[in-house]
Amino acid sequence: MPILRVVVGEPDRVVRARLRSVLHMGNGIYVVGEAGAADRLGDLVVRHRPRVAVVNAALRQADGVEFARIVAAQARNGMRVVVVSEALDEELLGRALRGGAGGFVHRASLVEEIVPAIRLVAAGHTFISSAMITRLRDRIAAVTSRVDHRLAELTRREAEVLALVAAGLSNAGIAEKLGIGTGTVRSHLARILTKLSAANRAHAVGIAYESGFITAGSAPGRRARG
């Protein structure tokens, strides 16, 4: 199994040591560099060309620029980014994903989730902590009765796209899976968000799971229109 090269951006030395210990336990992952500041992290990325960077959301550059811009600057040349956050903050999650991050891990579940997060993100998928997914589901639980009829309005192809989004596929991955263009995928997603009154992809997936329209390992919902 090829070794996954990783750099870690984390201001706490104890946490960096714990991460290194977890990642080096025969997981096929190797930490090639560690940094406690964003500027140093940038140097490590240039020098080591890692596959994945694990970045604490609290990391800031010397000029105070926040992590979302660091992520956007680092997510180049095929490198992927996993953001680690102390808080289950939906706005933070949105900024991270828009900034180019492929993963979002809650600090409380760091030890349990960091290895699968790195592996999935390195493979081009999206990883979101189970605690954050639960939070999204809980937040929308009160309104699911108002959106069930909207889920029933999805076409079969829109339901397929939503199921693949829930599985963590990118637009390109969905296009390849369904044999359609990425522009068509974007059009389907736009209609899905409109029909569900969803703010973003994560919100749409949360609605679908909470209503039972999608379940773990399920095929696209049979309740969709043809």
Side-chain angles (χ1 to χ4, degrees), residues 204-224:
V205 169
I207 291 171
Y209 270 113
E210 184 63 31
S211 68
F213 187 77
I214 293 175
T215 58
S218 70
R222 288 181 296 175
R223 279 174 282 182

Side-chain angles (χ1 to χ4, degrees), residues 171-183:
N171 285 5
I174 295 171
E176 181 178 359
K177 184 80 172 177
L178 298 180
I180 58 180
T182 54

Side-chain angles (χ1 to χ4, degrees), residues 10-28:
E10 164 61 55
D12 189 321
R13 286 184 296 177
V14 174
V15 174
R16 291 203 303 269
R18 184 73 183 278
L19 269 173
R20 184 172 62 252
S21 175
V22 170
L23 297 178
H24 287 181
M25 293 179 63
N27 294 306

Side-chain angles (χ1 to χ4, degrees), residues 174-197:
I174 295 171
E176 181 178 359
K177 184 80 172 177
L178 298 180
I180 58 180
T182 54
T184 303
V185 173
R186 287 193 295 270
S187 296
H188 284 312
L189 284 171
R191 287 193 291 272
I192 290 167
L193 296 185
T194 297
K195 289 179 179 181
L196 301 187
S197 299

Side-chain angles (χ1 to χ4, degrees), residues 102-184:
F104 182 97
V105 175
H106 187 220
R107 184 70 162 269
S109 55
L110 183 61
V111 172
E112 296 83 6
E113 294 187 335
I114 192 60
V115 171
I118 289 173
R119 289 201 178 284
L120 279 172
V121 167
H125 302 302
T126 300
F127 181 95
I128 299 175
S129 270
S130 57
M132 175 57 83
I133 292 175
T134 298
R135 183 181 181 89
L136 291 170
R137 292 177 190 174
D138 290 345
R139 183 171 63 82
I140 64 173
V143 300
T144 53
S145 62
R146 300 200 299 272
V147 300
D148 281 353
H149 71 283
R150 300 176 193 175
L151 283 162
E153 289 299 311
L154 296 181
T155 66
R156 185 167 299 279
R157 179 47 58 89
E158 288 165 354
E160 290 172 341
V161 169
L162 182 55
L164 293 174
V165 170
L169 272 67
S170 64
N171 285 5
I174 295 171
E176 181 178 359
K177 184 80 172 177
L178 298 180
I180 58 180
T182 54
T184 303

